[in-house]
Amino acid sequence: MKISLLEPLGVPAETIERLAAPLKAAGHEFVYYDQKTTDPEELIRRSQGSDIVIIANNPYPEAVIHAQTNLKMLDVAFTGIDHVAIDACKEKNIMICNASGYSTETVAELILGMAIDALRNVTEGDRRTRNGGTSAGIGGREIHGRTVGIIGLGHIGLRTAKLFQAFGAKVIAYNRSKNPEAEQSGIEYCSLEDVLQKSDIISLNLPNNKETRGFISRERIAMMKKSAVFINCARGPIVDNQALADALNASELAYAAIDVYDMEPPIPADYPLLHAKNTLLTPHQAFISEEAMLRRADIVFDNITNYLAGTPINVCK
């Protein structure tokens, strides 16, 4: 079979060669492109003749999928698959596998870091120190004793909840189904309205799909405490980001820490959150750490090995 990796995976080329070596030894052709592209024509060229294609978080659109004649399995080096034309894959009976779990620790840790920054004014303290200022008025608040609301209690949401619990926070959560592990950990399941209204810190951890786009609407933002901190390290389109910016600028919400947007960075200069008050913005880096990238590469190649053995894992569609 021909296996094509269409973009870098954030690990050294030597790691890719090591992971690909057993596939080559088994007689499979392996092709690796070390530069990203979002151009559909180039994606078609790189994918041509491939039985298995590996991508990360760059879009893989319908036109590219329909142009393929051999493609049987799409190996997505990412947790979400909303950047893939899923319906087109279904039409052509192409299996989609993801890299579930690779970024759980990394994302959860950044969420905690954002919460600490938001409550303890770390970034502002750095700015003041460099400009001859003092700590007057920026002592901030503790996580300990506060109520944290988790919206979406999958792997990342559950890990985030446990980290907040370690800081002494009370954790409440909204999720469509209940997880015995969460209940045993003392996490209280609540309605979405209760999570929005009662939480001092809200972490959004939902996938982006047809059901969740625009889920955090203007009306739901209005339910949050004026003193609340809202954190989104999930997906940008789940939130009405114009409404979020409006709430921040009107002091209807205290603070927002955002890692994801309605598009991949770089963010256009007129994007509303860039001009909103009391924000911490990062360029979609929550999933990136040295350890997470190595885990991701291992999972991606495990997906291929298991698919070839007839025992596919991490099957999404």
Side-chain angles (χ1 to χ4, degrees):
M1 286 192 173
K2 181 179 179 181
I3 302 162
S4 298
L5 171 55
L6 303 194
E7 57 184 287
L9 294 182
V11 296
E14 294 80 5
T15 300
I16 298 295
E17 288 300 321
R18 173 178 60 80
L19 292 170
L23 298 173
K24 292 179 179 179
H28 301 290
E29 180 184 358
F30 180 78
V31 181
Y32 171 39
Y33 296 91
D34 61 2
Q35 296 292 323
K36 285 190 176 186
T37 183
T38 56
D39 176 55
E41 291 301 319
E42 178 61 15
L43 288 169
I44 289 171
R45 187 190 72 79
R46 293 184 182 187
S47 304
Q48 207 64 51
S50 300
D51 299 279
I52 298 173
V53 162
I54 308 167
I55 62 168
N57 62 325
N58 274 345
Y60 203 70
E62 183 176 344
V64 178
I65 293 167
H66 281 308
Q68 304 311 309
T69 55
N70 292 349
L71 188 58
K72 302 172 183 67
M73 189 266 229
L74 186 61
D75 196 5
V76 182
F78 212 58
T79 302
I81 58 170
D82 49 290
H83 55 300
V84 174
I86 296 170
D87 289 341
C89 286
K90 287 181 180 178
E91 288 174 26
K92 293 179 70 71
N93 199 30
I94 297 167
M95 182 182 291
I96 304 175
C97 298
N98 74 348
S100 178
Y102 82 92
S103 65
T104 299
E105 294 291 341
T106 296
V107 175
E109 287 185 10
L110 186 66
I111 292 169
L112 262 291
M114 286 178 152
I116 292 169
D117 196 324
L119 267 66
R120 296 302 309 278
N121 301 302
V122 179
T123 300
E124 173 61 16
D126 176 83
R127 188 193 67 79
R128 288 194 186 189
T129 302
R130 295 175 189 280
N131 289 279
T134 72
S135 60
I138 62 167
R141 299 172 289 163
E142 296 178 351
I143 292 174
H144 182 89
R146 311 209 98 76
T147 297
V148 174
I150 307 292
I151 300 175
L153 206 58
H155 294 301
I156 293 173
L158 181 57
R159 183 59 182 152
T160 301
K162 289 182 176 181
L163 291 180
F164 273 116
Q165 285 180 319
F167 275 71
K170 175 185 178 181
V171 177
I172 61 177
Y174 168 78
N175 201 62
R176 290 188 300 178
S177 58
K178 292 187 177 181
N179 182 336
E181 183 182 353
E183 293 180 302
Q184 291 165 9
S185 299
I187 297 166
E188 179 185 346
Y189 282 93
C190 297
S191 68
L192 177 61
E193 290 73 19
D194 279 350
V195 170
L196 293 171
Q197 292 169 1
K198 295 179 179 180
S199 299
D200 301 301
I201 303 166
I202 298 170
S203 176
L204 182 63
N205 296 287
L206 293 172
N208 179 31
N209 53 43
K210 293 176 182 177
E211 289 74 36
T212 62
R213 284 180 199 126
F215 188 80
I216 303 300
S217 61
R218 186 175 296 273
E219 293 73 23
R220 285 172 172 163
I221 292 168
M223 294 181 188
M224 300 177 191
K225 292 181 179 181
K226 289 187 177 182
S227 59
V229 173
F230 176 73
I231 302 173
N232 184 10
C233 287
R235 294 290 185 272
I238 302 172
V239 180
D240 181 339
N241 287 299
Q242 179 64 64
L244 179 61
D246 291 344
L248 290 161
N249 288 329
S251 299
E252 295 296 325
L253 184 67
Y255 199 92
I258 307 297
D259 185 56
V260 286
Y261 310 89
D262 296 288
M263 70 292 292
E264 283 296 308
I267 305 301
D270 61 351
Y271 192 71
L273 284 175
L274 292 179
H275 309 284
K277 297 191 301 182
N278 302 325
T279 54
L280 172 64
L281 307 179
T282 53
H284 198 185
Q285 69 186 67
F287 69 98
I288 302 169
S289 70
E290 181 178 329
E291 295 85 353
M293 295 299 96
L294 290 170
R295 281 194 295 269
R296 179 172 75 163
D298 284 338
I299 292 169
V300 163
F301 280 88
D302 282 346
N303 286 349
I304 295 171
T305 300
N306 280 275
Y307 173 79
L308 293 173
T311 56
I313 58 173
N314 297 317
V315 179
C316 299
K317 299 290 179 181

